[in-house]
Amino acid sequence: MAQGVPLGKVFGGTRMSAIVLGGGLMGSATAFFLARRGIATTLIDTGRIGAGATVASFGNIRRSGRYLPQLPLAHRSLALWHRLETLLGRDVEFRATGHLRLIFDPEGLALMRRFAEDARPWGLDLEELGPDQIRRRFPGLGPDAIAASFSPRDGSANPRLIAPAFADAAARAGVQVVDQAQVLSVKPGFTVETSRGTFHADRLVNCTGHHGAALAAQFGEPVPIEVRGPQMAVTEPLPHRILPVVGVWSAEHGAYLRQVERGNVVFGGAVDRGTVGADGRAHADPARLPAQLRAVVRLCPALRHVAVIRQWSGAEGYVRDGLPVMGASGTTAGLFHAFGFCGHGFQLGPGVGDAMAELVATGRCETPLEDFHIGRFAA
Ligand SMILES: Cc1cc2nc3c(=O)[nH]c(=O)nc-3n(C[C@H](O)[C@H](O)[C@H](O)COP(=O)(O)OP(=O)(O)OC[C@H]3O[C@@H](n4cnc5c(N)ncnc54)[C@H](O)[C@@H]3O)c2cc1C
């Protein structure tokens, strides 16, 4: 069965069409922005939309601590997060509550000050707070912190809502959404054969998350990637008191938490990322919970006697140099990659979708993506 794609915009006499493989945040956002550029787009996922790393995310929309040349993309993305309710016609629970990052030792303070100074020319201004300001503005948080940074425009959103919201808006804009389709083959040109039909397009965007490296390898582009599972948990609902997302400046894996408006406190960090089983799934390890709780209670001592009701993890691709793979293929005309977001892709998602759509449609991108090009791993 051969299926067409919706008619697209005419580019230089030919109709541009695209298949986006992978309906996580990156793929569903890319499909949405491609459709807004008039490109006939099909979004294909082997599972359910948004049910990969995206749904497992902590939901942190944080710019501090990022690789500096990634900040233009992070700013582009943050501007979109602020407009998403209008763009998607749905509240994805984005709240610009600010991101408070506590500091408990001189090393953390030096780390924060160095980053804040280096990030200023990149357009990110962090407020430095002393202990009195922390106590006054954020009572109950980090009582033994010696300082903190605060980034007022950052915040969080609901990881369960974001990819389906993008995919639904994409469908309303004309994208053909094909989920739960076993992908049988991907051929240059491009033809994607699935259990739900065969699809053709002249552009292919690889947004398959930690599976992205296998697809890239098929086109002669190796990417060293490791699949790991950060571990998350959530408490019973409590009166809503914690407004900002809270983290730590530390050279180690610091803990982080946020309270959703329904009252539950979601937390993660403080322990090594778990391994992923033969089933390709990441599983939370209850034995790691006490260490996480000790770290979280330091951020908010009132959580000491609260019940944890659920733990989870999610399989995420960590590229060897800690940076994602984004941009045009180095081997195959018409092929593009956006995968391997190394545990920090949630914030970037809307910006990645917009930037990839710009790149696919125009061959250029106003946001610098050179550092993320797949060619950095070519022999
Ligand atoms: C536990 C956890 C917490 C996190 N917390 C944060 C955070 O607080 N802040 C932050 O910025 N980032 C965070 N991240 C990272 C962020 O969630 C990810 O970087 C981001 O969601 C990746 O999105 P994606 O679309 O690339 O991948 P995914 O969401 O994994 O989507 C990939 C999709 O591709 C599909 N697929 C796979 N193979 C194929 C194929 N061959 N054909 C078609 N479809 C295919 C899969 O079914 C899947 O739906 C976290 C990640 C995890 C796991």
Side-chain angles (χ1 to χ4, degrees), residues 314-326:
E316 166 79 331
Y318 290 83
V319 179
R320 189 175 57 205
D321 59 8
L323 299 178
V325 172
M326 273 185 81

Side-chain angles (χ1 to χ4, degrees), residues 168-207:
D168 288 352
R172 290 197 299 278
V175 172
Q176 187 175 14
V177 179
V178 186
D179 65 350
Q180 303 196 72
Q182 198 189 345
V183 173
L184 304 170
S185 68
V186 180
K187 301 214 172 85
F190 292 88
T191 299
V192 177
E193 193 193 354
T194 82
S195 56
R196 296 191 57 197
T198 299
F199 302 88
H200 309 282
D202 45 51
R203 305 286 191 276
L204 181 74
V205 193
N206 171 13
C207 295

